[in-house]
Short mmCIF file of all heavy atoms in Angstrom, two decimals:
data_model
loop_
_atom_site.label_atom_id
_atom_site.label_comp_id
_atom_site.label_asym_id
_atom_site.label_seq_id
_atom_site.Cartn_x
_atom_site.Cartn_y
_atom_site.Cartn_z
N SER A 921 -19.25 31.92 -40.48
CA SER A 921 -19.60 33.18 -39.81
C SER A 921 -19.80 34.29 -40.84
O SER A 921 -20.64 35.17 -40.65
CB SER A 921 -18.52 33.55 -38.80
OG SER A 921 -17.27 33.79 -39.44
N HIS A 922 -19.03 34.25 -41.92
CA HIS A 922 -19.23 35.23 -43.01
C HIS A 922 -20.60 35.07 -43.62
O HIS A 922 -21.30 36.06 -43.90
CB HIS A 922 -18.13 35.05 -44.06
CG HIS A 922 -18.28 35.97 -45.25
ND1 HIS A 922 -17.95 37.30 -45.21
CD2 HIS A 922 -18.76 35.74 -46.52
CE1 HIS A 922 -18.21 37.86 -46.39
NE2 HIS A 922 -18.70 36.92 -47.19
N TRP A 923 -21.02 33.82 -43.82
CA TRP A 923 -22.36 33.56 -44.38
C TRP A 923 -23.45 34.07 -43.44
O TRP A 923 -24.44 34.68 -43.87
CB TRP A 923 -22.52 32.06 -44.62
CG TRP A 923 -23.88 31.65 -45.10
CD1 TRP A 923 -24.34 31.67 -46.39
CD2 TRP A 923 -24.96 31.16 -44.30
NE1 TRP A 923 -25.64 31.23 -46.44
CE2 TRP A 923 -26.05 30.91 -45.16
CE3 TRP A 923 -25.12 30.92 -42.94
CZ2 TRP A 923 -27.27 30.42 -44.71
CZ3 TRP A 923 -26.33 30.43 -42.49
CH2 TRP A 923 -27.39 30.19 -43.36
N VAL A 924 -23.30 33.81 -42.15
CA VAL A 924 -24.30 34.26 -41.18
C VAL A 924 -24.38 35.79 -41.17
O VAL A 924 -25.48 36.36 -41.17
CB VAL A 924 -23.95 33.75 -39.76
CG1 VAL A 924 -24.86 34.40 -38.72
CG2 VAL A 924 -24.08 32.23 -39.70
N THR A 925 -23.23 36.45 -41.19
CA THR A 925 -23.20 37.92 -41.17
C THR A 925 -23.88 38.51 -42.41
O THR A 925 -24.59 39.51 -42.31
CB THR A 925 -21.75 38.42 -41.08
OG1 THR A 925 -21.14 37.88 -39.90
CG2 THR A 925 -21.70 39.94 -41.00
N GLU A 926 -23.66 37.86 -43.56
CA GLU A 926 -24.26 38.35 -44.80
C GLU A 926 -25.76 38.10 -44.84
O GLU A 926 -26.54 38.95 -45.27
CB GLU A 926 -23.59 37.67 -46.00
CG GLU A 926 -22.15 38.10 -46.24
CD GLU A 926 -22.06 39.51 -46.80
OE1 GLU A 926 -22.88 39.85 -47.67
OE2 GLU A 926 -21.19 40.28 -46.33
N LYS A 927 -26.20 36.94 -44.38
CA LYS A 927 -27.61 36.56 -44.52
C LYS A 927 -28.47 37.05 -43.36
O LYS A 927 -29.64 37.40 -43.55
CB LYS A 927 -27.71 35.03 -44.62
CG LYS A 927 -29.07 34.55 -45.14
CD LYS A 927 -29.01 33.10 -45.52
CE LYS A 927 -30.31 32.66 -46.17
NZ LYS A 927 -30.48 33.26 -47.52
N PHE A 928 -27.90 37.10 -42.16
CA PHE A 928 -28.66 37.52 -40.97
C PHE A 928 -27.84 38.57 -40.20
O PHE A 928 -27.38 38.29 -39.07
CB PHE A 928 -29.00 36.33 -40.08
CG PHE A 928 -29.76 35.24 -40.77
CD1 PHE A 928 -29.11 34.09 -41.23
CD2 PHE A 928 -31.12 35.34 -40.98
CE1 PHE A 928 -29.80 33.08 -41.87
CE2 PHE A 928 -31.83 34.34 -41.62
CZ PHE A 928 -31.17 33.21 -42.07
N PRO A 929 -27.63 39.73 -40.75
CA PRO A 929 -26.81 40.75 -40.09
C PRO A 929 -27.39 41.17 -38.75
O PRO A 929 -28.60 41.40 -38.62
CB PRO A 929 -26.82 41.91 -41.09
CG PRO A 929 -28.04 41.69 -41.93
CD PRO A 929 -28.23 40.22 -42.02
N GLY A 930 -26.53 41.21 -37.74
CA GLY A 930 -26.97 41.64 -36.41
C GLY A 930 -27.70 40.59 -35.61
O GLY A 930 -28.16 40.87 -34.49
N ALA A 931 -27.85 39.37 -36.14
CA ALA A 931 -28.59 38.32 -35.42
C ALA A 931 -27.81 37.87 -34.19
O ALA A 931 -26.58 37.85 -34.18
CB ALA A 931 -28.84 37.14 -36.34
N LYS A 932 -28.54 37.50 -33.16
CA LYS A 932 -27.94 36.98 -31.93
C LYS A 932 -27.68 35.49 -32.09
O LYS A 932 -28.53 34.75 -32.59
CB LYS A 932 -28.88 37.23 -30.75
CG LYS A 932 -28.35 36.76 -29.40
CD LYS A 932 -29.34 37.07 -28.30
CE LYS A 932 -28.83 36.61 -26.94
NZ LYS A 932 -29.81 36.88 -25.86
N TRP A 933 -26.49 35.03 -31.66
CA TRP A 933 -26.12 33.62 -31.75
C TRP A 933 -26.44 32.91 -30.43
O TRP A 933 -26.03 33.36 -29.36
CB TRP A 933 -24.64 33.47 -32.02
CG TRP A 933 -24.14 33.96 -33.35
CD1 TRP A 933 -24.40 35.16 -33.93
CD2 TRP A 933 -23.28 33.27 -34.24
NE1 TRP A 933 -23.76 35.27 -35.13
CE2 TRP A 933 -23.05 34.11 -35.35
CE3 TRP A 933 -22.66 32.02 -34.23
CZ2 TRP A 933 -22.24 33.75 -36.42
CZ3 TRP A 933 -21.84 31.64 -35.28
CH2 TRP A 933 -21.65 32.50 -36.37
N LEU A 934 -27.14 31.79 -30.50
CA LEU A 934 -27.38 30.93 -29.34
C LEU A 934 -26.88 29.54 -29.69
O LEU A 934 -27.50 28.81 -30.47
CB LEU A 934 -28.87 30.89 -28.99
CG LEU A 934 -29.56 32.23 -28.69
CD1 LEU A 934 -31.04 32.03 -28.49
CD2 LEU A 934 -28.94 32.88 -27.46
N THR A 935 -25.72 29.15 -29.14
CA THR A 935 -25.14 27.85 -29.47
C THR A 935 -25.49 26.80 -28.43
O THR A 935 -25.68 27.10 -27.25
CB THR A 935 -23.61 27.95 -29.57
OG1 THR A 935 -23.08 28.37 -28.31
CG2 THR A 935 -23.20 28.96 -30.65
N GLU A 936 -25.58 25.54 -28.90
CA GLU A 936 -25.89 24.40 -28.04
C GLU A 936 -27.11 24.71 -27.16
O GLU A 936 -27.08 24.56 -25.94
CB GLU A 936 -24.68 24.03 -27.16
CG GLU A 936 -23.45 23.62 -27.95
CD GLU A 936 -23.64 22.32 -28.72
OE1 GLU A 936 -24.51 21.52 -28.32
OE2 GLU A 936 -22.94 22.12 -29.72
N LEU A 937 -28.17 25.13 -27.80
CA LEU A 937 -29.37 25.57 -27.09
C LEU A 937 -30.23 24.37 -26.70
O LEU A 937 -30.71 23.62 -27.55
CB LEU A 937 -30.18 26.52 -27.98
CG LEU A 937 -31.47 27.08 -27.36
CD1 LEU A 937 -31.14 28.02 -26.20
CD2 LEU A 937 -32.30 27.81 -28.41
N SER A 938 -30.42 24.17 -25.40
CA SER A 938 -31.30 23.10 -24.93
C SER A 938 -32.74 23.45 -25.27
O SER A 938 -33.17 24.59 -25.09
CB SER A 938 -31.15 22.91 -23.42
OG SER A 938 -29.84 22.50 -23.08
N VAL A 939 -33.49 22.46 -25.74
CA VAL A 939 -34.86 22.71 -26.15
C VAL A 939 -35.74 21.54 -25.73
O VAL A 939 -35.32 20.39 -25.74
CB VAL A 939 -34.94 22.90 -27.69
CG1 VAL A 939 -34.47 21.66 -28.42
CG2 VAL A 939 -36.35 23.27 -28.12
N SER A 940 -36.93 21.85 -25.30
CA SER A 940 -37.93 20.83 -24.99
C SER A 940 -39.29 21.40 -25.33
O SER A 940 -39.51 22.61 -25.25
CB SER A 940 -37.86 20.43 -23.50
OG SER A 940 -38.15 21.55 -22.68
N GLY A 941 -40.19 20.53 -25.72
CA GLY A 941 -41.52 20.98 -26.10
C GLY A 941 -42.41 19.81 -26.43
O GLY A 941 -41.94 18.67 -26.57
N PRO A 942 -43.71 20.04 -26.55
CA PRO A 942 -44.66 18.95 -26.80
C PRO A 942 -44.44 18.29 -28.16
O PRO A 942 -44.07 18.94 -29.13
CB PRO A 942 -46.01 19.66 -26.73
CG PRO A 942 -45.72 21.10 -27.03
CD PRO A 942 -44.36 21.36 -26.47
N ARG A 943 -44.68 17.00 -28.20
CA ARG A 943 -44.57 16.20 -29.41
C ARG A 943 -45.96 15.81 -29.89
O ARG A 943 -46.75 15.27 -29.10
CB ARG A 943 -43.72 14.96 -29.13
CG ARG A 943 -43.51 14.01 -30.30
CD ARG A 943 -42.50 12.93 -29.88
NE ARG A 943 -42.33 11.90 -30.89
CZ ARG A 943 -42.98 10.74 -30.90
NH1 ARG A 943 -43.86 10.47 -29.93
NH2 ARG A 943 -42.76 9.85 -31.85
N THR A 944 -46.27 16.08 -31.12
CA THR A 944 -47.61 15.83 -31.65
C THR A 944 -48.03 14.37 -31.48
O THR A 944 -49.19 14.08 -31.15
CB THR A 944 -47.67 16.21 -33.14
OG1 THR A 944 -47.31 17.59 -33.29
CG2 THR A 944 -49.06 15.99 -33.71
#
């Protein structure tokens, strides 16, 4: 979390995000 705060300050966290999309 310290690394995330330093590298992407203020970024929104989305954990275990379901994803689907077309496959080439």
Side-chain angles (χ1 to χ4, degrees):
S921 63
H922 177 77
W923 176 84
V924 171
T925 302
E926 290 288 319
K927 195 167 186 71
F928 303 100
K932 182 180 180 181
W933 294 49
L934 303 175
T935 61
E936 299 294 336
L937 181 67
S938 297
V939 61
S940 62
R943 180 173 175 265
T944 302

